[in-house]
Amino acid sequence: MTTPLVPESLRTVTVLAGGISHERDVSLRSGRRVADSLTAHGISVELRDPDATLLGHLSETRPDVIWPALHGASGEDGALRGVLEALDIPFVGSRATAARLAWDKPTAKALVARAGIHTPRSVTLSHDAFRELGAVSVLQAIADEHPVPLVVKPARGGSAQGVTVVDDIAGLPRAMVDAYTYCEDVLVEQKIVGTEVAIGVIDTGDGPIALPAVEIVPRSGFYGFEARYNAGETRFFTPARLDDTVAAAAAAAAVAAHTALGLRHLSRVDLIIDAAGTAWFLEVNVLPGLTETSLVPLALEAAGYDLGWLYAELAQKAITDHRA
Amino acid sequence: MVTTGSQQALDLVTRLFINPGDVVLAESPSYVGALGVFRAYQADVVHVAMDAEGLIPESLRETITTLEAAGKPIKFLYTIPNFHNPAGVTLSWGRRLEILDICRSHGILVLEDNPYGLLYFDQPAPQAMRSVDDEGVIYLGSFSKTLAPGFRVGWALAPHAIREKLILANESATLSPNSFGQFVITEYLDQTDWKGQIDTFRHLYAERRDAMLSALGEYLPKLSWTKPEGGFFVWVTLPDELDSKAMLPRAVKELVAYTPGTAFYSDGQGKQNMRLSFCYPTPESIRTGIARLATVINGEIDLLQTFSGANLTTPIPTRSSVTTPPPNTL
């Protein structure tokens, strides 16, 4: 085996993984996998948990690139990315402003809809609105306007935590409570019945391209936290079982959403394809899961990418973008 | 007989006695690590009610009568009489004698698990059940809580006939328990003031128990909880409408964790309970932790109140999709 050629500018990478969130374990697995892939590619990798010593350490060591593999709030909401921008060290993935927009699901939906992509009808409600207007009347108004099935989810957050599919309107109040425990704003969205797909979008320098769509078929019927992170709980089809025209339209929608939100390097767009073949935008992840059971690595492998090569290319792109 | 932690003794006893479908009686709630063993051998675990004085003899009698009427073979009663895990309570002396009588008269073996007995706070726990019945009781002891769990050294004191079988079963399971660990522990017991060390632990844990109880009183006065006189655990009962398992990810977000009550039942009970452990954190951290827990619990209660007019009792099919980390089985 020949040692892969590593560009002069890309010698040291710090992968950030862990953090304090319920997705910590997932992040550690993602980070370990990114680190191993980069190491196998001949790059010197340091894996760091973002703790109180991190910033001092980064200022001192100044790696060529930071590769954040942090899921959940601080990793994806732009907060940490803002700090990395201030440190003036190149990092992989979207900038803070774009990450912030994408992290807020109602904002992301509005921006994507403006770019002409379908997204399910929805209403976003703050906890305060319920307090001020009375839960019963607000819930009744929602029920009148939005027939079941509905999906109730925290406006910000990941891994389907606090998400409930409401098939019977009587379940709406409890679903609202569950979602509000994660976030003070809750999105109540029309559930589109169809094929659930996730499409990875990558950009190594020639513009964003869509990876093969991964079709998600959870055994329980609901792609919740357990179905996401326990091997065997969900079946995946890569590429998704869609006809070519529908698949191409879904891929175009994913790239358009990535572009409309101003994302860079890497993202994962979650869509539902209805019976007519229309792709509906649900949400986007600026740092998609990169574990052994995650969707983007599945798609990358299906498309024939070497993970180490791609992760190094993205790191290189981060350096190029930083210089620009 | 020396075993690889008393956990292995639990496994061996269960392997010897349980055929699939046989009944094991256990306190309500009971130790998660034992329930896992019983489940692995397909035992039918039936919980028996307890109160502040431990297992309730009358409930035991009723449960046995019902099971016998249904023709169910009851193999043994699994009990943690001292500073119970997870409930924190201690079985009174009077009840120990009464329970031994009940079990003897129904031909039910008692499996007495006593990892915490020496870790009392104010006064020693009552004598072991085994001390007054050497025929009907298998007693399990452990160095995990009084020295260190890493040695994996525990022991079973069993009636002669059972001991012979346990030794054979142990040989087939591990050939022999960790002899290096046993040498180290022997040296430790010979050469050090191990009783003095346990006194140090007792004072340390008592201080932490006090910190937890006073923080609960201060931050969550409307809840109820047990008042342990030894051991590691406080068992907290939440308002009916809260679900400790569903709440755990939210608590972790607030940087506090607990073991949901459901881990300590084989039948889905325990949603309204949580086990809090005071053995590891300092009193200051315990206060901080309880304050965070109060934020989570009060936040949930506040939300439930917002929606209280809107028929909140409807079950939600996807609640089971909330996952929790594996419980701490120590």
Side-chain angles (χ1 to χ4, degrees):
Chain A
M1 194 178 135
T2 55
T3 308
L5 190 63
V6 179
E8 189 69 28
S9 56
L10 179 60
R11 287 291 161 84
T12 57
V13 173
T14 296
V15 175
L16 301 181
I20 300 173
S21 84
H22 207 64
E23 294 170 276
R24 175 180 173 80
D25 288 349
V26 180
S27 167
L28 288 171
R29 282 160 57 192
S30 286
R32 167 59 56 198
R33 204 143 190 261
V34 171
D36 288 350
S37 304
L38 288 169
T39 305
H41 201 69
I43 293 168
S44 168
V45 179
E46 180 198 38
L47 197 57
R48 286 286 299 201
D49 213 323
D51 57 21
T53 65
L54 177 71
L55 297 183
H57 176 78
L58 289 176
S59 307
E60 206 173 288
T61 56
R62 298 203 70 83
D64 295 329
V65 178
I66 296 168
W67 224 113
L70 294 162
H71 306 306
S74 67
E76 293 187 69
D77 68 359
L80 179 92
R81 287 155 199 270
V83 175
L84 296 182
E85 282 169 9
L87 276 181
D88 202 27
I89 300 174
F91 63 90
V92 172
S94 295
R95 291 193 179 86
T97 313
R100 222 166 266 137
L101 297 175
W103 177 247
D104 187 78
K105 293 182 175 91
T107 307
K109 277 167 69 82
L111 289 171
V112 166
R114 201 182 291 168
I117 301 154
H118 294 279
T119 182
R121 263 186 89 208
S122 66
V123 55
T124 306
L125 296 151
S126 70
H127 186 195
D128 287 344
F130 276 92
R131 276 194 232 265
E132 285 158 17
L133 304 172
V136 178
S137 60
V138 177
L139 285 176
Q140 194 54 55
I142 297 172
D144 292 345
E145 282 299 306
H146 299 267
V148 291
L150 297 169
V151 184
V152 178
K153 46 177 128 172
R156 294 168 290 280
S159 287
Q161 290 184 320
V163 177
T164 308
V165 176
V166 175
D167 291 315
D168 176 350
I169 200 69
L172 184 59
R174 182 78 227 193
M176 299 299 293
V177 169
D178 277 1
Y180 277 125
T181 55
Y182 285 94
C183 182
E184 63 206 23
D185 299 305
V186 165
L187 183 69
V188 180
E189 192 175 58
Q190 204 70 53
K191 182 180 188 320
I192 304 293
V193 178
T195 306
E196 196 168 349
V197 297
I199 300 182
V201 178
I202 55 169
D203 181 0
T204 57
D206 303 324
I209 55 164
L211 297 171
V214 180
E215 180 182 345
I216 300 158
V217 186
R219 224 166 49 139
S220 66
F222 173 59
Y223 195 49
F225 192 88
E226 236 156 63
R228 280 165 199 239
Y229 297 117
N230 288 302
E233 287 297 309
T234 303
R235 290 165 71 204
F236 300 105
F237 296 91
T238 317
R241 298 167 299 178
L242 301 170
D243 75 45
D244 291 349
T245 325
V246 172
V255 170
H258 177 98
T259 309
L261 290 165
L263 304 181
R264 63 172 196 176
H265 304 164
L266 168 80
S267 72
R268 193 194 76 219
V269 179
D270 297 343
L271 304 161
I272 294 229
I273 317 295
D274 69 14
T278 304
W280 297 79
F281 171 87
L282 299 180
E283 58 187 77
V284 63
N285 294 266
V286 299
L287 199 285
L290 298 170
T291 73
E292 58 284 357
T293 52
S294 297
L295 308 177
V296 166
L298 281 180
L300 288 169
E301 279 162 23
Y305 283 98
D306 174 83
L307 294 183
W309 175 85
L310 178 76
Y311 296 158
E313 282 293 303
L314 292 175
Q316 186 57 53
K317 176 81 162 66
I319 294 172
T320 314
D321 288 350
H322 187 74
R323 285 178 186 152
Chain B
M1 182 186 71
V2 175
T3 54
T4 305
S6 64
Q7 186 71 19
Q8 195 217 354
L10 266 174
D11 184 87
L12 294 175
V13 171
T14 312
R15 188 185 302 187
L16 281 185
F17 284 96
I18 296 297
N19 296 315
D22 285 351
V23 172
V24 172
L25 299 173
E27 281 131 349
S28 178
S30 186
Y31 167 49
V32 57
L35 296 178
V37 172
F38 302 151
R39 237 191 321 269
Y41 290 98
Q42 299 175 52
D44 180 6
V45 177
V46 177
H47 291 285
V48 182
M50 28 183 351
D51 60 17
E53 272 189 75
L55 194 70
I56 303 169
E58 197 44 48
S59 300
L60 178 63
R61 254 187 225 102
E62 282 167 16
T63 307
I64 293 172
T65 307
T66 310
L67 288 165
E68 285 182 344
K72 294 260 197 174
I74 306 170
K75 288 294 174 70
F76 57 79
L77 164 70
Y78 171 72
T79 176
I80 306 160
N82 298 328
F83 320 128
H84 190 270
N85 179 4
V89 299
T90 294
L91 186 63
S92 66
W93 177 242
R95 284 193 182 180
R96 289 180 195 224
L97 298 177
E98 200 176 346
I99 285 165
L100 283 170
D101 268 350
I102 296 169
C103 288
R104 201 178 298 121
S105 64
H106 289 271
I108 297 169
L109 191 65
V110 175
L111 187 52
E112 179 181 21
D113 193 0
N114 186 25
Y116 309 102
L118 293 174
L119 298 172
Y120 59 90
F121 300 147
D122 302 318
Q123 53 183 5
Q127 270 178 258
M129 297 165 89
R130 171 64 175 69
S131 69
V132 290
D133 185 345
D134 54 8
E135 282 304 309
V137 180
I138 301 177
Y139 175 95
L140 306 184
S142 170
F143 286 102
S144 291
K145 310 299 187 291
T146 49
L147 176 55
F151 285 110
R152 308 310 304 140
V153 174
W155 67 93
L157 180 60
H160 180 76
I162 296 175
R163 194 190 65 195
E164 299 298 303
K165 302 290 184 205
L166 281 175
I167 288 170
L168 283 176
N170 199 359
E171 279 176 8
S172 90
T174 65
L175 296 183
S176 94
N178 171 7
S179 52
F180 179 72
Q182 292 178 64
F183 280 122
V184 175
I185 288 177
T186 305
E187 195 72 7
Y188 173 73
L189 296 177
D190 280 348
Q191 302 296 325
T192 66
D193 176 17
W194 61 273
K195 287 184 179 165
Q197 181 59 47
I198 287 175
D199 285 342
T200 305
F201 287 149
R202 292 197 298 106
H203 291 121
L204 187 80
Y205 295 143
E207 195 187 355
R208 293 174 181 188
R209 183 265 324 250
D210 292 344
M212 183 167 279
L213 296 184
S214 86
L216 282 167
E218 186 177 336
Y219 292 110
L220 289 161
K222 289 184 181 157
L223 304 190
S224 60
W225 53 84
T226 55
K227 292 161 189 68
E229 287 164 8
F232 293 172
F233 308 112
V234 173
W235 183 247
V236 176
T237 303
L238 301 168
D240 281 353
E241 61 273 25
L242 294 189
D243 178 339
S244 63
K245 191 175 177 191
M247 194 169 74
L248 181 61
R250 273 96 80 170
V252 170
K253 212 172 82 181
E254 292 295 325
L255 307 184
V256 61
Y258 54 82
T259 309
T262 46
F264 305 97
Y265 291 92
S266 62
D267 55 8
Q269 295 183 71
K271 266 172 42 175
Q272 272 75 58
N273 297 102
M274 53 175 64
R275 184 188 77 174
L276 302 182
S277 172
F278 51 78
C279 68
Y280 185 71
T282 61
E284 296 73 38
S285 300
I286 288 171
R287 277 188 66 76
T288 309
I290 298 291
R292 289 175 182 167
L293 190 60
T295 306
V296 177
I297 290 173
N298 292 333
E300 303 242 333
I301 291 173
D302 180 40
L303 270 172
L304 286 162
Q305 276 167 355
T306 305
F307 289 91
S308 62
N311 182 24
L312 286 169
T313 55
T314 313
I316 300 295
T318 54
R319 281 186 75 75
S320 62
S321 69
V322 177
T323 193
T324 55
N328 173 4
T329 55
L330 290 181

